[in-house]
Amino acid sequence: MEGHVKAYQLETFNNVEGIILRERDEPHCGPTDILVRVRAASLNRRDAMILDRSYPLPARPNVVPLSDGVGEVVAVGGNVTRFKPGDRVTGSYFARWRDGRISPDLIDQLGCTLDGMLAEYILMDEQWAVDVPEHLSREEAATLTCAGVTAWSAVANSGAAMPGNTVLTLGTGGVSLYAIQFAKMFGCRVIAATSRNEKADRLRALGADEVINHAATPDWGNRVRELTAGLGADLVVETIGPDTLEQSLIAASLYGQIVLLITRGGKASRIEIDGSAWSSSLASIRRVFVGSRADLEGMNRAIAAHKLRPVIDRVFPFGDAHEAYRHFMRGDVFGKVVIAGA
Ligand SMILES: NC(=O)c1ccc[n+]([C@@H]2O[C@H](COP(=O)([O-])OP(=O)(O)OC[C@H]3O[C@@H](n4cnc5c(N)ncnc54)[C@H](OP(=O)(O)O)[C@@H]3O)[C@@H](O)[C@H]2O)c1
């Protein structure tokens, strides 16, 4: 390390050029810290939102971006009991939220209010980290923290992901692709909606039983009902909204569940739903904000047991982080955009 390490810092907003590669002093472990050599990190929609300041939680000045990443423990503090040098770990999205319900004192997030993974090294309290499944490559293991846990919370914690039940996913972002894989893991039938026909074959290859082009089928909620013998989807993983929520409600079964994940909003944003859609439905809307460390651990156990492999779109070298952000923000991706270090 020779006294200095490299890390990107979010110094100014609205442009990837504001994320600047700097040399920082070599980090040293406090009694409960682990020092991790980061091998790969990945991008999520929240990282673009943090950059353009539309994310609900403001970033700390000069924070190291990205919640998702993986690396090896290279040093541990004197009181550390959970890890040893050589262990391969990732971080938990809400670093301090271990289990149960989140509360306002637990909202610190890696890559937002705490330094994240876009660096050669990250210093974490040992309680912020978890082991990753052994069968995953470093690129795959770098995608678990945000999109993975969000999809896990949406599907596994719904009570609706039972064999033979129908799960509807929207779009082909990281959350939706994980949701398809988890829904199939639970034996569900998956209907995947995308705006792009060219993604249909890849969605089917991932496990989708039916694919709908929701851009070409404005009343796609009724198309979902047709595909389910009039019953509707038991679980809708709503990742687009707010303007898709009316169709999601039409698509949902009588006592269906819509997991509303969108975090865009603000005063100008309103959700309008025609009375004919909601008056005939007993569906519930559930909100999810990623998940706890226990959710991440539970998901990792399931991924290991099923040898599930996350979908990777493209891998960029550490020095090309700006190009990785640009590629991700252009939006024509299928799977996770990863930045891999040395
Ligand atoms: N609440 C939470 O805990 C939580 C956690 C993570 C993410 N999220 C939210 O979940 C959403 C998905 O996140 P993500 O990272 O998986 O993916 P993402 O990159 O935001 O979504 C990408 C895909 O969604 C579809 N899409 C996006 N915007 C659209 C629009 N305006 N109209 C139509 N289709 C659109 C497109 O799919 P096609 O090209 O296939 O049409 C696109 O490829 C985001 O809103 C994100 O903020 C919430």
Coordinates of all heavy atoms in Angstrom, one line a residue, residues 44-46 49 146-147 150 170-176 193-196 199 214 238-240 260-264 287-290 328 331 333 336, ligand 1:
N44 N -25.9 0.5 -9.4 CA -27.3 0.4 -9.2 C -28.0 1.8 -9.6 O -27.3 2.8 -9.6 CB -27.7 0.1 -7.7 CG -27.3 -1.3 -7.4 OD1 -28.1 -2.3 -7.8 ND2 -26.2 -1.5 -6.7
R45 N -29.3 1.7 -9.8 CA -30.0 3.0 -10.1 C -29.7 4.0 -9.1 O -29.6 5.2 -9.4 CB -31.5 2.7 -10.3 CG -32.4 3.8 -10.6 CD -32.0 4.5 -11.9 NE -31.7 3.5 -13.0 CZ -31.0 3.9 -14.1 NH1 -30.7 5.1 -14.4 NH2 -30.7 2.9 -15.0
R46 N -29.7 3.6 -7.8 CA -29.5 4.6 -6.7 C -28.2 5.4 -6.9 O -28.0 6.5 -6.5 CB -29.5 4.0 -5.3 CG -28.6 2.8 -5.1 CD -27.2 3.2 -4.5 NE -27.2 3.5 -3.1 CZ -26.1 3.5 -2.4 NH1 -24.9 3.4 -3.0 NH2 -26.1 3.8 -1.1
M49 N -28.9 8.1 -9.1 CA -29.8 9.1 -8.4 C -29.0 9.9 -7.4 O -29.2 11.1 -7.2 CB -30.9 8.3 -7.7 CG -31.9 7.7 -8.7 SD -33.1 6.6 -7.9 CE -34.2 7.8 -7.2
C146 N -27.4 -4.5 -3.2 CA -28.6 -3.6 -3.4 C -29.7 -4.3 -4.3 O -30.7 -4.7 -3.7 CB -28.2 -2.3 -4.1 SG -29.6 -1.2 -4.4
A147 N -29.4 -4.5 -5.6 CA -30.5 -5.1 -6.4 C -30.8 -6.5 -5.9 O -32.0 -6.9 -5.9 CB -30.0 -5.2 -7.9
T150 N -32.9 -6.3 -2.6 CA -34.2 -5.7 -2.9 C -35.1 -6.7 -3.5 O -36.3 -6.9 -3.1 CB -34.0 -4.5 -3.8 OG1 -33.1 -3.5 -3.3 CG2 -35.4 -3.8 -4.1
L170 N -41.4 -6.1 -14.0 CA -41.5 -5.0 -14.9 C -40.1 -4.6 -15.3 O -39.3 -4.3 -14.4 CB -42.3 -3.9 -14.4 CG -43.7 -4.1 -13.9 CD1 -44.4 -2.8 -13.4 CD2 -44.5 -4.8 -15.0
G171 N -39.8 -4.4 -16.6 CA -38.5 -4.0 -17.0 C -37.4 -5.0 -16.8 O -37.7 -6.1 -16.3
T172 N -36.2 -4.6 -17.2 CA -35.1 -5.6 -17.1 C -33.9 -5.0 -16.4 O -32.7 -5.2 -16.7 CB -34.6 -6.0 -18.5 OG1 -34.5 -4.8 -19.3 CG2 -35.7 -6.9 -19.2
G173 N -34.1 -4.2 -15.3 CA -33.1 -3.7 -14.5 C -32.6 -4.8 -13.6 O -33.1 -5.9 -13.6
G174 N -31.6 -4.5 -12.8 CA -31.0 -5.5 -11.9 C -32.0 -6.1 -10.9 O -31.9 -7.3 -10.7
V175 N -32.9 -5.3 -10.4 CA -33.9 -5.8 -9.4 C -34.8 -6.8 -10.1 O -35.0 -7.9 -9.6 CB -34.7 -4.7 -8.8 CG1 -35.8 -5.3 -7.9 CG2 -33.8 -3.7 -8.0
S176 N -35.3 -6.5 -11.3 CA -36.2 -7.4 -12.0 C -35.6 -8.7 -12.4 O -36.2 -9.8 -12.3 CB -36.7 -6.7 -13.3 OG -37.3 -5.5 -13.0
A193 N -42.5 -8.3 -18.1 CA -42.8 -7.2 -19.0 C -41.6 -6.4 -19.3 O -40.9 -6.0 -18.4 CB -44.0 -6.4 -18.4
T194 N -41.4 -6.1 -20.6 CA -40.3 -5.3 -21.0 C -40.8 -4.3 -22.1 O -41.9 -4.5 -22.7 CB -39.1 -6.1 -21.5 OG1 -38.1 -5.2 -22.1 CG2 -39.6 -7.1 -22.6
S195 N -40.1 -3.2 -22.3 CA -40.4 -2.3 -23.4 C -39.7 -2.7 -24.7 O -39.9 -2.0 -25.7 CB -40.1 -0.9 -23.0 OG -38.8 -0.7 -22.8
R196 N -38.8 -3.7 -24.6 CA -38.0 -4.0 -25.7 C -38.1 -5.4 -26.2 O -37.6 -6.3 -25.4 CB -36.5 -3.7 -25.4 CG -36.3 -2.2 -25.0 CD -34.9 -1.9 -24.8 NE -34.8 -0.7 -24.0 CZ -33.8 0.1 -24.1 NH1 -32.8 -0.1 -25.0 NH2 -33.7 1.2 -23.4
K199 N -35.2 -8.1 -25.9 CA -34.8 -8.7 -24.6 C -35.6 -10.0 -24.3 O -35.3 -10.7 -23.3 CB -35.0 -7.7 -23.5 CG -34.0 -6.6 -23.6 CD -34.1 -5.6 -22.4 CE -33.0 -4.5 -22.5 NZ -33.2 -3.5 -21.4
H214 N -44.8 -4.3 -22.7 CA -45.8 -3.4 -22.1 C -45.9 -2.0 -22.8 O -46.9 -1.4 -22.7 CB -45.5 -3.2 -20.6 CG -44.2 -2.5 -20.3 ND1 -44.1 -1.1 -20.3 CD2 -43.0 -3.0 -19.9 CE1 -42.8 -0.8 -20.0 NE2 -42.2 -1.9 -19.7
E238 N -43.1 -4.1 -8.7 CA -43.3 -2.8 -9.4 C -42.1 -2.0 -9.4 O -41.8 -1.3 -8.4 CB -44.5 -2.2 -8.8 CG -44.9 -0.8 -9.3 CD -45.0 -0.5 -10.8 OE1 -43.9 -0.3 -11.3 OE2 -46.1 -0.6 -11.3
T239 N -41.3 -2.0 -10.5 CA -40.0 -1.3 -10.5 C -40.0 -0.1 -11.4 O -39.0 0.6 -11.6 CB -38.8 -2.2 -11.0 OG1 -39.3 -2.9 -12.1 CG2 -38.4 -3.2 -9.9
I240 N -41.1 0.2 -12.0 CA -41.1 1.3 -13.0 C -41.9 2.5 -12.4 O -41.3 3.5 -12.1 CB -41.7 0.9 -14.4 CG1 -40.8 -0.2 -15.0 CG2 -41.7 2.1 -15.3 CD1 -41.3 -0.7 -16.3
L260 N -44.1 -2.1 -4.2 CA -43.8 -0.8 -4.9 C -42.4 -0.4 -4.5 O -42.2 0.1 -3.4 CB -44.9 0.2 -4.5 CG -44.8 1.6 -5.1 CD1 -45.0 1.5 -6.6 CD2 -45.8 2.5 -4.5
L261 N -41.5 -0.5 -5.5 CA -40.1 -0.3 -5.1 C -39.6 1.1 -5.5 O -38.5 1.5 -5.1 CB -39.2 -1.3 -5.8 CG -39.4 -2.7 -5.3 CD1 -38.7 -3.7 -6.3 CD2 -38.9 -2.9 -3.9
I262 N -40.3 1.8 -6.3 CA -39.7 3.1 -6.9 C -39.4 4.1 -5.8 O -40.2 4.2 -4.8 CB -40.7 3.7 -7.9 CG1 -42.1 3.9 -7.3 CG2 -40.7 2.9 -9.2 CD1 -43.0 4.8 -8.1
T263 N -38.3 4.8 -5.9 CA -37.9 5.8 -4.9 C -37.9 7.2 -5.5 O -37.7 8.1 -4.8 CB -36.5 5.5 -4.4 OG1 -35.7 5.1 -5.5 CG2 -36.6 4.3 -3.4
R264 N -38.2 7.3 -6.9 CA -38.3 8.6 -7.5 C -39.6 9.2 -6.8 O -40.5 8.5 -6.5 CB -38.6 8.6 -9.0 CG -37.7 7.8 -9.8 CD -38.1 8.1 -11.3 NE -39.0 7.1 -11.8 CZ -38.6 5.9 -12.2 NH1 -37.4 5.6 -12.1 NH2 -39.5 5.1 -12.7
R287 N -44.3 -1.6 0.6 CA -43.1 -0.9 0.3 C -41.9 -1.6 0.9 O -42.0 -2.2 2.0 CB -43.1 0.5 0.8 CG -44.3 1.4 0.4 CD -44.2 2.0 -1.0 NE -42.9 2.1 -1.7 CZ -42.2 3.2 -2.0 NH1 -42.7 4.4 -1.6 NH2 -41.1 3.2 -2.6
V288 N -40.8 -1.5 0.2 CA -39.6 -2.2 0.6 C -38.4 -1.2 0.4 O -38.4 -0.5 -0.6 CB -39.4 -3.5 -0.3 CG1 -37.9 -3.9 -0.2 CG2 -40.3 -4.6 0.1
F289 N -37.5 -1.2 1.3 CA -36.3 -0.4 1.1 C -35.1 -1.4 1.3 O -34.6 -1.6 2.4 CB -36.2 0.8 2.1 CG -35.4 1.9 1.6 CD1 -35.4 3.2 2.2 CD2 -34.6 1.8 0.4 CE1 -34.6 4.2 1.7 CE2 -33.9 2.9 -0.1 CZ -33.9 4.1 0.6
V290 N -34.7 -1.9 0.2 CA -33.6 -2.9 0.1 C -33.8 -4.0 1.2 O -34.7 -4.8 1.1 CB -32.2 -2.3 0.2 CG1 -31.1 -3.3 -0.2 CG2 -32.1 -1.1 -0.8
F328 N -24.0 2.6 -18.0 CA -25.2 2.2 -17.1 C -26.3 3.2 -17.3 O -27.5 2.9 -17.5 CB -24.7 2.2 -15.7 CG -25.9 1.9 -14.7 CD1 -26.4 0.7 -14.6 CD2 -26.4 2.9 -13.9 CE1 -27.5 0.4 -13.7 CE2 -27.5 2.7 -13.1 CZ -28.0 1.5 -13.0
G331 N -28.7 3.2 -20.3 CA -29.9 2.4 -20.0 C -30.1 1.2 -20.8 O -31.0 0.4 -20.5
V333 N -29.0 -1.8 -21.0 CA -28.2 -2.9 -20.4 C -29.1 -4.1 -20.1 O -30.3 -3.9 -20.0 CB -27.5 -2.4 -19.1 CG1 -26.6 -1.2 -19.4 CG2 -28.5 -2.0 -18.0
K336 N -26.0 -6.6 -14.6 CA -25.3 -5.7 -13.8 C -24.0 -5.1 -14.5 O -23.3 -5.8 -15.2 CB -24.8 -6.3 -12.5 CG -25.9 -6.9 -11.6 CD -26.9 -5.8 -11.2 CE -26.3 -4.8 -10.3 NZ -27.3 -3.8 -9.8
Ligands
LIG1 N1 -37.1 0.5 -2.8 C1 -36.0 -0.1 -2.9 O1 -35.4 -0.6 -2.0 C2 -35.3 -0.1 -4.2 C3 -34.0 -0.8 -4.3 C4 -33.4 -0.8 -5.6 C5 -34.0 -0.2 -6.7 N2 -35.2 0.5 -6.5 C6 -35.9 1.1 -7.6 O2 -36.3 0.1 -8.5 C7 -36.3 0.5 -9.8 C8 -35.5 -0.5 -10.6 O3 -34.1 -0.4 -10.3 P1 -33.0 -1.3 -11.1 O4 -31.7 -0.8 -10.6 O5 -33.4 -2.7 -11.1 O6 -33.2 -0.9 -12.6 P2 -33.2 0.4 -13.5 O7 -31.9 0.5 -14.1 O8 -33.8 1.6 -12.9 O9 -34.3 -0.1 -14.6 C9 -33.9 -0.4 -15.8 C10 -35.1 -1.0 -16.6 O10 -36.4 -0.7 -16.2 C11 -37.2 -0.3 -17.3 N3 -37.5 1.1 -17.2 C12 -36.9 2.0 -16.5 N4 -37.5 3.2 -16.5 C13 -38.5 3.0 -17.3 C14 -39.6 3.9 -17.8 N5 -39.6 5.2 -17.4 N6 -40.5 3.4 -18.6 C15 -40.4 2.1 -18.9 N7 -39.5 1.3 -18.5 C16 -38.6 1.7 -17.7 C17 -36.3 -0.7 -18.5 O11 -36.5 -2.0 -18.9 P3 -36.8 -2.5 -20.4 O12 -35.7 -2.0 -21.2 O13 -36.8 -4.0 -20.3 O14 -38.1 -2.0 -20.7 C18 -34.9 -0.5 -18.0 O15 -34.0 -1.3 -18.7 C19 -35.7 1.9 -9.8 O16 -36.8 2.8 -9.8 C20 -35.0 2.0 -8.5 O17 -34.9 3.3 -8.0 C21 -35.8 0.5 -5.3

